[in-house]
Amino acid sequence: MSNTSKIINHENVNGVNLSLQVDSRSNTPNSQRFTISYKNKEKKSKWPLKSLILAIIFNVIALFYVRISVQAMLIIIIVLSFLVFFWITHSVQSESVLVIPTVGVQSSVKYVFGREDYFVPWACIDDVIINEVIKLNRVLYFLTLIVKTGSTGQDTEPIKLIPLFKYTKPRLLMLETIYSELQELLTASSKLE
């Protein structure tokens, strides 16, 4: 089981360093895994820790000067601790897409605790596109799967768009690399059918 891989380092749209790793496995013909992860985990921002310390200082000052009751203070501390817990457990470490022609595409999001997977069968994939999204004053690019859903009378939406790498938000350079290799896999498998 030999792997051939290449790595591309670039920033995402927020200026955070990302690393794209493309793995091709020889035990499964034409299968590829695209993994985008944060490159410098040791230099992560300490913003949540600073904000928690500021919130605790604010609460202590408010307790003495504004005369907030102890009950209100406990509610504020519980809400802040829940928000910090939610932020820690739901921060994304990496996103990956595993492509196995004639089987399907599996998209995975790895959190600090846990992982979320989404599988799309190969027969349902119509195409792969790079989609432009305008958000406030920025143009973001997303690699998107166009999926055919059932064309029954009950289904009002015959196609569905599934964005990939929506949490890491890589720049167009990384998305074009993934897009070109996915298009090669799609055209090669359509020639076999």
Side-chain angles (χ1 to χ4, degrees):
M1 181 168 101
S2 65
N3 289 349
T4 59
S5 71
K6 67 179 181 179
I7 297 175
I8 299 172
N9 297 318
H10 207 277
E11 293 180 344
N12 72 353
V13 296
N14 297 326
V16 178
N17 289 330
L18 294 178
S19 176
L20 167 65
Q21 183 174 359
V22 181
D23 293 326
S24 299
R25 295 195 165 95
S26 63
N27 62 344
T28 317
N30 297 329
S31 72
Q32 289 188 333
R33 178 184 298 271
F34 305 95
T35 304
I36 295 181
S37 59
Y38 293 103
K39 186 177 175 189
N40 54 352
K41 294 179 183 175
E42 67 276 356
K43 294 183 181 178
K44 276 196 172 179
S45 171
K46 304 231 182 213
W47 180 81
L49 183 62
K50 289 179 184 177
S51 64
L52 180 64
I53 291 171
L54 285 173
I56 291 172
I57 290 171
F58 172 74
N59 284 326
V60 168
I61 291 171
L63 178 66
F64 291 115
Y65 288 107
V66 183
R67 309 266 189 229
I68 293 179
S69 68
V70 175
Q71 246 181 349
M73 181 76 77
L74 286 174
I75 291 173
I76 292 171
I77 290 172
I78 290 170
V79 168
L80 286 175
S81 61
F82 176 74
L83 290 175
V84 168
F85 174 76
F86 185 77
W87 180 82
I88 289 172
T89 57
H90 284 77
S91 20
V92 174
Q93 287 188 329
S94 67
E95 289 184 281
S96 65
V97 172
L98 175 64
V99 180
I100 303 175
T102 67
V103 176
V105 174
Q106 178 177 344
S107 173
S108 301
V109 179
K110 183 180 176 190
Y111 298 101
V112 175
F113 298 108
R115 176 181 167 135
E116 181 180 312
D117 296 324
Y118 187 76
F119 181 77
V120 179
W122 193 259
C124 295
I125 298 174
D126 193 26
D127 202 3
V128 177
I129 61 171
I130 295 179
N131 200 8
E132 294 179 351
V133 177
I134 299 173
K135 184 177 181 182
L136 296 177
N137 61 347
R138 297 192 307 180
V139 176
L140 303 176
Y141 298 98
F142 289 102
L143 190 67
T144 306
L145 290 176
I146 299 177
V147 177
K148 299 176 278 192
T149 58
S151 58
T152 61
Q154 300 167 347
D155 231 354
T156 58
E157 193 174 301
I159 59 172
K160 183 176 166 185
L161 300 176
I162 300 174
L164 304 173
F165 305 112
K166 60 185 174 183
Y167 298 110
T168 51
K169 296 179 183 143
R171 289 195 186 258
L172 188 58
L173 175 73
M174 284 186 176
L175 292 179
E176 286 175 339
T177 304
I178 299 169
Y179 172 78
S180 63
E181 296 196 25
L182 279 176
Q183 282 296 335
E184 287 177 17
L185 291 173
L186 280 172
T187 55
S189 71
S190 65
K191 288 178 183 176
L192 293 175
E193 293 174 354

